[in-house]
Amino acid sequence: MKQLTEITTPFSEVAKTVSLPGAGLDWLTQLRQQALGLFERQGLPAKKVEDWKYTSLWQLSREGFTHDAKASTLQASEVADAAVLEDAYRVVIVDGRFNAELSNIEGLESGLTIKPMAEAWDQAEKLLGQQIDLDKPGLNALNTMLMQDGAYIHVAADNSITKTIELLVISTADNDRLASHLRHLVHLETGAKATLVENYVSVGETQGFTNVVTEVNLADNASLNHFKLQHESLGHYHIATLASKQAEGSQWHTNNISLGSKLARNDIHSQLLGEQSHVTLDGLYLVTGDQHVDNHTRIDHAVPNTTSDEVYKGVLDGKSHAVFNGKVFVHQDAQKTDSSQSNKNLLLSRSSEIDTKPELEIYADDVKCAHGSTVGQIDQQQLFFLRARGLDETAARSLLTYAFAVDVLQRIKSEPIRQGLSNVIEKRLPKGA
Amino acid sequence: MLEIKNLHASVGGKEILRGINMTVNPGEVHAIMGPNGAGKSTLSNVLAGRDGYEVTQGEIIYKGENLMELEPEERAQRGVFLAFQYPVEIPGVSNIYLLKAALNAVRKYNGQDEVDAIDFLNLVRERMKLVKMDEQFLHRNVNEGFSGGEKKRNEILQMAVLEPALAILDETDSGLDIDALRTVAEGVNALRAEDRSIVMITHYQRLLDHIVPDFVHVLSEGKIVKSGDKELAKELEKSGYSWVHDAPEGQTA
C-alpha cells in the first residue's frame, strides 16, 4: 500500500535519539520499538488508503515540527479561561507535558487515581495499547513510538466519582511548531462511574501538531460520560484516536466536538465485547475558512444484545471540507444488536464540501440497524419568518445554525458541561448570534 | 398609516397584482377578500418583503416611508407585522427565545434597552391569556408539533407581544375549527386600538363575523374590484365571487 514516507519532521530520528519517559522499562521500550518498525515501513497513510481517501496528510508531511519544548510561561488565569468547567479535577498538560502546578488533582475522592502518564507506566502496563490496533493505517504507530505523557485515570470497583475530571491539553504560542504525542488511559473497574472532559485548546496562535490516543477500558457495568472538545488554533493539526473496550453492562457516552485546527481527524472505535453494553457516539463539527475535519467512527457489536446510538452533526462554512464515515460492524453472533446512526450536515456556503458515508456490515440476522445522512442548507422559509419578526439576516442565520446544532448539546445531561460547551460553540458560530 | 398606490407586482415574471390602490388609516380594520388566485397572498408577501416578489410599478407608503426600500426586518422593526398563513416550524428555537429576540429587535430600533427578564415574562404571560395558550408552549420549539390552531394562536401571541402598528393577517382563519377561530378572533379584537391598523386577508366571510371590519375590499385578478363596508362581505357570502367578476371596472372606492 502506498504511504507517505518522505516526511520533513524526522519522527523516526526523534524516536531513536531522544530519551522518552519510561525509557528504562523493557516492555515499553519493546512496544516503542515495534511501533517504530511499523512506522518506518508504513510512514503516514496516503490518500490511496481507503480510510484516508478524503484526508490528505501531504501538507502535514511537509511541515517541520519540533519535539523540543521550551518551558511555558502559561499563567493560572489563562488556564482558568481555557477550562470548560470551574469545578472539576483539573489535569493540565502544557505543550505536551503534564504541569503539576497548574493542575488540581489534590484530595481526590476515594477510589480515583489520576497521574501523569509519564509517571504511571507501571500501572498502565497491563492495558496500554490493548484498545488500539497498532497496524491500522493512521498514526497509532507514530503515537506509540513517541508517546511522552498524558493522563492515567483509574477508578476502583464500585466507586462513583461525583466531580468531573477535566483534562486540559493546552498548546501555547511559546512553543509554536511543537509536535506533541500524548497517550491517555481511562480505566474504570467493575461498576465504577466517572465523567471526563478532554479539552484541547490553544493559548495564543499555534501551528503545532497534537497527536493523541485516548484508550478507554470499561469493566462490567462501568459507566463513562465522556466529552472531547477540540478548539485549537486554525493553524494547528489535530489527529486523534479514541478507542474503547467495553465489558458486560458497561456504558460509554462520548461527545466529540470539533471546532478548531486546520486539519482535524478523529478515529473513534467502540468495541462492545460484553452483553448489554451500550455506546453513544455523538459529535458536532463546526468548520469554516479552509478547515478540514474528518470523523471516522467504528462500532463493533461483537456479542449479542448490545446497543449503540450515534448522532453526528456538522456545520460547514467558507471553503471547509468535512468527512464523516460511520461504520457499524455487527459480528456473526451478535444477535439482537440495536444500532442507530445519523449524520446531518448544514452547508452555509457554496464552496464547502461534505463527504458522508454510513457503512453497515452485518453478519447476524436478528438485528435492528438504522442509519441516515442528510445534507442541507439554511431553510429560506425559516429565514424569512425570523426576518419578518425583526431579526436581521445575520442574526437569523446564526440562530438557525445554532438551532441546527443544538440537539447534540441538548442530549448532554450535565448542566455545567452543557453550558460550558455551549459557551465555546456560540463563539464559533458564523458571525455570532 | 398605509397607502398603496397603483401597486403592480410579479412573481417569476408573471404579473399578479395589477394596480392596487388602498388607504388604511390608524385604528381601521380592513378586510381583503377574494377568490383563489386573486393575488391575496402576493399582496401580503409584498407588504412583508418576501424575496421573489417584484414590484414593477407603484408604491407603498408606510408612515411616510417607502416600504419597498426596507428589508423585511426593517419593516418589522418599524411595526409591520405579518401573521403567516403557514407558520413555519423552527426546531431548536424555543418560543420564548423567539419572542424575546423579536421584541428586543423592535426595542433596539426604538432606542430602548433590552427588555428586563422579569418584565418580559410578565408581559408574555399576560398576552398568552389573550389567546388562551398554556405556558408550556413557551418552552416548546417554535410551532414544532403544534396543531393548526395552535400555530395560528402562536402568530397572534407574537403580534400581542410585539404590538405592531400595522398587522397583516394572512388567511389567519384557514384551517381553524370554530372554537379555535373564536379564540383567535377574540385575541385579535383585544388588540384593536386607535393607533393600530389591521389588514385581514381571507377567502371566507366567516372570519368577518368574529372580527368585524371597517372596510371590505374585493380582490380579483390582481385588482380591487369592489370596496364597501361589512355588508359587502355578506353579499359576497350570498352570491359568491362570480358577481364581482361581472361588475364593470372602475367601481372601486
Side-chain angles (χ1 to χ4, degrees), chain A residues 19-22 28 32 91-100 103 105 114-121 124 128 143-152 167-169 179-185 198 200 210-215:
Chain A
S19 172
L20 291 162
L28 188 56
R32 283 177 170 150
V91 189
V92 180
I93 291 173
V94 181
D95 294 331
R97 294 291 177 165
F98 172 75
N99 187 310
S103 295
I105 48 173
I114 303 178
K115 281 184 156 191
M117 185 59 87
E119 294 166 21
W121 302 116
L128 197 80
N143 181 279
T144 301
M145 78 188 198
L146 285 170
M147 58 186 175
Q148 68 215 39
D149 213 341
Y152 171 81
L167 174 51
L168 255 162
V169 178
S180 306
H181 309 274
L182 299 171
R183 177 68 60 99
H184 311 306
L185 177 65
E198 289 184 61
Y200 295 83
T210 303
N211 169 20
V212 57
V213 172
T214 303
E215 297 188 66

Side-chain angles (χ1 to χ4, degrees), chain A residues 3-9 42-44 57-58 60-62:
Chain A
Q3 309 280 2
L4 281 172
T5 45
E6 276 179 40
I7 299 165
T8 304
T9 306
Q42 297 183 342
L44 298 171
L57 294 183
W58 191 84
L60 180 133
S61 77
R62 302 287 91 191

Side-chain angles (χ1 to χ4, degrees), chain A residues 159-391:
Chain A
N159 284 283
S160 289
I161 305 305
T162 52
K163 203 188 257 199
T164 299
I165 303 157
E166 179 166 356
L167 174 51
L168 255 162
V169 178
I170 303 176
S171 300
T172 75
D174 293 333
N175 286 295
D176 183 20
R177 304 182 72 80
L178 185 73
S180 306
H181 309 274
L182 299 171
R183 177 68 60 99
H184 311 306
L185 177 65
V186 183
H187 181 199
L188 270 52
E189 305 265 17
T190 303
K193 291 183 172 58
T195 303
L196 169 68
V197 176
E198 289 184 61
N199 179 4
Y200 295 83
V201 58
S202 296
V203 172
E205 289 300 310
T206 61
Q207 297 176 320
F209 170 30
T210 303
N211 169 20
V212 57
V213 172
T214 303
E215 297 188 66
V216 174
N217 188 290
L218 303 180
D220 289 355
N221 300 316
S223 169
L224 178 67
N225 275 321
H226 181 212
F227 304 84
K228 182 191 167 191
L229 170 66
Q230 185 273 109
H231 51 140
E232 293 168 336
S233 284
L234 296 179
H236 214 87
Y237 293 87
H238 183 95
I239 298 186
T241 288
L242 185 51
S244 76
K245 277 190 175 167
Q246 293 184 235
E248 196 174 306
S250 65
Q251 305 246 344
W252 185 35
H253 294 270
T254 182
N255 199 319
N256 165 30
I257 297 170
S258 187
L259 311 173
S261 289
K262 146 160 77 184
L263 184 155
R265 161 85 179 212
N266 291 293
D267 279 275
I268 298 178
H269 187 191
S270 160
Q271 299 160 80
L272 299 169
L273 306 177
E275 290 200 28
Q276 313 296 342
S277 57
H278 171 82
V279 64
T280 300
L281 297 184
D282 282 349
L284 175 66
Y285 42 96
L286 232 65
V287 280
T288 186
D290 58 358
Q291 279 183 281
H292 178 101
V293 60
D294 180 345
N295 287 302
H296 266 65
T297 69
R298 175 179 168 131
I299 300 168
D300 275 280
H301 292 272
V303 295
N305 298 308
T306 58
T307 53
S308 65
D309 181 9
E310 179 169 17
V311 176
Y312 262 74
K313 285 202 157 188
V315 178
L316 288 78
D317 203 352
K319 286 192 262 180
S320 63
H321 183 194
V323 182
F324 173 80
N325 186 298
K327 184 177 260 190
V328 176
F329 199 107
V330 181
H331 293 247
Q332 201 172 359
D333 298 326
Q335 303 297 359
K336 307 283 182 200
T337 289
D338 189 340
S339 160
S340 88
Q341 179 193 81
S342 102
N343 172 232
K344 292 183 178 165
N345 296 280
L346 177 65
L347 302 187
L348 298 177
S349 69
R350 289 186 168 277
S351 32
S352 54
E353 183 186 333
I354 169 78
D355 292 287
T356 172
K357 184 173 161 196
E359 257 186 292
L360 302 183
E361 275 191 54
I362 302 173
Y363 298 98
D365 53 15
D366 183 13
V367 301
K368 211 160 87 186
C369 290
H371 68 92
S373 63
T374 62
V375 179
Q377 289 160 323
I378 292 268
D379 183 288
Q380 292 301 314
Q381 305 288 340
Q382 293 177 344
L383 187 63
F384 176 66
F385 178 82
L386 291 177
R387 294 180 71 191
R389 290 294 173 264
L391 278 73

